[in-house]
Amino acid sequence: MINIRINYLVIVIVSIISVGVITLNIEWPNQQQDQVTRIISRGELRVSTINSPLMSFNDKQEASGFDYELTKRFADYLGVKLRINVRSNINQLFNDLENGNSDFITAGLLYNEKRLDKAQPGPAYYTVSQQLIYLKGVSRPRSLNDVKGKFVVATDSVNANTLQQLKQKYPNLQWEETSHYNATELLQLLAEGKIDYTLENSIVVAMQQRIHPNIAVAFNVSDDHNLNWYMKRSKDNSLNAAMLDFFNKSNEEELLTRLDEKYFGHVATFDYFDTLSFITAINKILPTYKHLFKKYAEDIDWRLLAAISWQESHWDPLATSPTGVRGLMMLTVPTAQTMGVSDRLDPEESIKGGAAYLQYLISRLPTTIAPDDRIWFALSAYNMALGHMLDARKLTRIQGGDPDSWLDVKARLPLLSKKKYFAKLTYGYARGYEAYRYVENIRHYHQSLVSYLQNKEMNQNMQLAARDPLLFSRTSSKEKSTRVSHKTNLGKLIKHGFAQ
């Protein structure tokens, strides 16, 4: 179970001063205006990061993820464009701060006391646990006394600091540090059996289990670690004050709650066998239908369309349910007729019809629903019919919730099967609990598919770079070429706790 929590109370308490200064238009002394003024004058917020589950990049180098969206919102708050610099490891991030190449850094960074001499943390915006991770199928360690084997963490990371502190309690504890791999790469090495243990934060682990189902949590090493942005330490506090005001406004607008729901609302549960089955199918079955999902997705992410089809039929074109829905997209007879599908068992017709029906449902939604939430409302209607989804919105309004918020509406879906509630609604009884699970499953399949395909592409690029570094350098940035060349082997490891 992952331990994640948004630090609203901390943000509100700490931001009292900044509210007085910024929102009431009280002027800072000139010296304290410098950094924010320079950013605004430049028209660009420079942020350095590393590729991670919190901020990842597709093949077009377009960013997405919790950290990306939060950072983009902060740039919008300042009224400037966002420029992202992707680095290979944590040390390079802090070097960017020291050298003035970045205004702040973000990479799901935990609060690190050893960085405070040169770097200043921004407000805490999330809380995670540190977890010991091992390979599923081997004996699960119950404490650090049971750790026997290659235990690797990133150099100069909070994980390394934690182990240094625990060394006093566990004098036989041994581990190694590397600067050549970040958190997600170490988890991949673990999944491949190249190392035996690593230490990582709970949200990264929960998301990486979607593409590496054979990594498992042994136990929490520590709880309640804050995630922070980091700035260069100086006497100029204007950027930190701006961050405090931004997070205070974000709390009022429930931005962090919505981002938490969007990116992490579906990762709390993990099914090893289901995930393993899905990944196997990605490699063996998806290539047959991938071109069709791409062809008919239109404004929908083709990977989301594929995830819907997996939830519906497990990519079986002959799938038939007891209620008579059939095909890859499991269309009913009326829906197929409306969408112009003559043969529901024909893969192309089924995908074309399912995509068209989903677009139709999206078009029927109220314009007051935010773009990010519209697809989830449409999917619930795809599962239980549009009328029942409208009933769920109505019930949400009656109970004082926001009918345009998926977070609020999905909480009411299970109530549609209870007579106390459905008797007063327009369309009556519905298996709302099934619609709830249906949407959550699709969200986690979609996230797994996106992450797995990105990881697969990265590995292919690594192999290409190893065979022909010059060819790779002609198609990739210098930073990425350097990063890939580091990953051809484990490199030099700094050992701790080993007999000299």
Side-chain angles (χ1 to χ4, degrees):
M1 191 71 167
I2 59 175
N3 178 20
I4 51 180
R5 177 167 82 246
I6 300 173
N7 289 277
Y8 293 131
L9 182 60
V10 174
I11 293 172
V12 171
I13 292 175
V14 178
S15 58
I16 292 175
I17 297 176
S18 68
V19 172
V21 174
I22 296 177
T23 61
L24 297 181
N25 294 318
I26 300 174
E27 293 189 357
W28 291 99
N30 288 336
Q31 182 182 4
Q32 290 182 309
Q33 287 185 350
D34 285 351
Q35 189 171 13
V36 169
T37 300
R38 287 196 301 270
I39 292 170
I40 295 174
S41 298
R42 189 194 312 134
E44 183 179 74
L45 178 68
R46 303 168 305 166
V47 177
S48 293
T49 189
I50 55 178
N51 205 330
S52 75
L54 297 179
M55 189 185 296
S56 58
F57 301 83
N58 62 20
D59 54 358
K60 297 179 181 179
Q61 292 308 298
E62 296 168 334
S64 63
F66 183 96
D67 270 355
Y68 167 72
E69 194 157 340
L70 192 60
T71 304
K72 179 64 170 64
R73 294 296 186 96
F74 181 60
D76 293 341
Y77 162 85
L78 294 176
V80 298
K81 295 180 180 179
L82 175 61
R83 174 186 166 191
I84 299 176
N85 302 312
V86 183
R87 304 306 185 203
S88 301
N89 56 55
I90 294 175
N91 282 336
Q92 290 181 4
L93 298 182
F94 284 94
N95 287 342
D96 274 358
L97 283 184
E98 183 67 19
N99 297 330
N101 295 324
S102 180
D103 297 308
F104 71 87
I105 59 177
T106 179
L109 298 170
L110 276 67
Y111 182 83
N112 189 344
E113 292 182 354
K114 290 192 174 182
R115 297 287 189 180
L116 299 186
D117 56 334
K118 295 183 178 180
Q120 177 182 353
Y125 61 91
Y126 222 79
T127 301
V128 298
S129 299
Q130 282 178 298
Q131 298 177 325
L132 179 70
I133 312 303
Y134 73 108
L135 190 63
K136 196 174 185 68
V138 302
S139 178
R140 175 184 177 183
R142 300 294 175 178
S143 78
L144 290 175
N145 285 326
D146 300 330
V147 173
K148 311 294 180 184
K150 187 179 287 294
F151 187 3
V152 184
V153 297
T155 304
D156 294 327
S157 64
V158 175
N159 296 326
N161 296 347
T162 297
L163 293 178
Q164 290 281 8
Q165 296 169 5
L166 290 170
K167 180 70 175 172
Q168 299 178 6
K169 183 177 180 180
Y170 302 95
N172 295 324
L173 182 62
Q174 301 174 346
W175 74 94
E176 303 171 358
E177 297 180 21
T178 177
S179 61
H180 293 161
Y181 297 88
N182 61 35
T184 56
E185 293 162 349
L186 284 174
L187 289 172
Q188 180 170 331
L189 289 177
L190 177 61
E192 294 171 350
K194 295 178 180 178
I195 63 176
D196 300 304
Y197 308 98
T198 191
L199 199 64
E200 196 41 67
N201 82 60
S202 49
I203 193 62
V204 170
V205 173
M207 298 184 74
Q208 287 297 290
Q209 281 183 315
R210 306 297 177 183
I211 60 175
H212 301 305
N214 57 338
I215 62 174
V217 178
F219 53 84
N220 285 0
V221 173
S222 63
D223 294 322
D224 298 338
H225 271 273
N226 293 328
L227 299 186
N228 305 82
W229 293 342
Y230 279 87
M231 303 156 280
K232 184 176 182 179
R233 182 167 292 282
S234 72
K235 295 180 180 179
D236 177 4
N237 292 318
S238 60
L239 182 57
N240 188 45
M243 287 181 179
L244 287 167
D245 186 58
F246 165 73
F247 279 111
N248 182 60
K249 292 181 184 301
S250 298
N251 179 37
E252 294 174 355
E253 298 168 1
E254 297 187 338
L255 172 63
L256 292 171
T257 300
R258 287 186 280 111
L259 292 182
D260 177 47
E261 159 61 23
K262 178 178 179 179
Y263 290 103
F264 309 139
H266 58 291
V267 303
T269 58
F270 170 68
D271 186 319
Y272 168 76
F273 292 105
D274 181 64
T275 303
L276 188 62
S277 175
F278 182 50
I279 290 175
T280 300
I282 292 174
N283 292 317
K284 293 185 176 181
I285 304 175
L286 181 59
T288 302
Y289 306 112
K290 179 178 177 179
H291 69 288
L292 295 176
F293 291 125
K294 285 187 171 183
K295 181 178 179 179
Y296 294 108
E298 295 185 2
D299 296 335
I300 303 169
D301 181 357
W302 75 265
R303 297 164 299 188
L304 178 60
L305 192 60
I308 296 169
S309 180
W310 173 259
Q311 169 66 23
E312 289 285 357
S313 66
H314 277 36
W315 297 330
D316 177 3
L318 303 180
T320 303
S321 80
T323 59
V325 294
R326 307 186 76 184
L328 281 172
M329 301 299 291
M330 296 297 271
L331 303 176
T332 64
V333 171
T335 298
Q337 291 174 345
T338 302
M339 296 298 119
V341 174
S342 59
D343 183 1
R344 291 182 292 162
L345 299 184
D346 178 84
E348 183 163 6
E349 284 203 54
S350 182
I351 292 172
K352 179 181 179 181
Y357 183 52
L358 187 59
Q359 292 281 13
Y360 163 76
L361 291 171
I362 293 173
S363 71
R364 294 288 305 275
L365 296 174
T367 57
T368 51
I369 297 176
D372 286 345
D373 277 353
R374 293 179 71 81
I375 186 63
W376 313 129
F377 280 92
L379 284 175
S380 68
Y382 193 103
N383 177 258
M384 66 177 181
L386 182 62
H388 294 304
M389 185 275 291
L390 296 176
D391 271 352
R393 295 185 74 249
K394 179 180 179 180
L395 179 60
T396 301
R397 186 185 298 107
I398 292 172
Q399 294 188 342
D402 181 358
D404 293 332
S405 165
W406 175 246
L407 181 63
D408 284 2
V409 172
K410 79 171 187 177
R412 272 78 180 185
L413 288 177
L415 301 181
L416 298 183
S417 64
K418 298 180 182 299
K419 189 174 183 179
K420 175 183 177 181
Y421 301 100
F422 74 70
K424 301 177 182 180
L425 299 174
T426 305
Y427 296 94
Y429 173 86
R431 292 192 292 270
Y433 54 89
E434 290 185 3
Y436 174 93
R437 180 48 49 199
Y438 175 85
V439 177
E440 294 299 283
N441 285 348
I442 289 172
R443 293 177 67 188
H444 108 244
Y445 289 138
H446 177 233
Q447 180 61 52
S448 294
L449 182 57
V450 170
S451 299
Y452 184 81
L453 293 178
Q454 287 177 346
N455 188 69
K456 187 175 182 179
E457 181 184 21
M458 181 187 71
N459 290 337
Q460 290 171 344
N461 288 338
M462 288 167 51
Q463 294 170 7
L464 178 61
R467 291 195 302 267
D468 189 349
L470 292 178
L471 175 62
F472 189 81
S473 66
R474 289 195 293 271
T475 58
S476 303
S477 68
K478 181 177 179 181
E479 290 171 11
K480 283 187 174 292
S481 298
T482 302
R483 180 182 179 201
V484 169
S485 67
H486 283 163
K487 294 187 289 187
T488 55
N489 55 62
L490 270 174
K492 292 183 178 179
L493 294 170
I494 303 172
K495 297 186 176 182
H496 294 267
F498 287 83
Q500 301 297 316

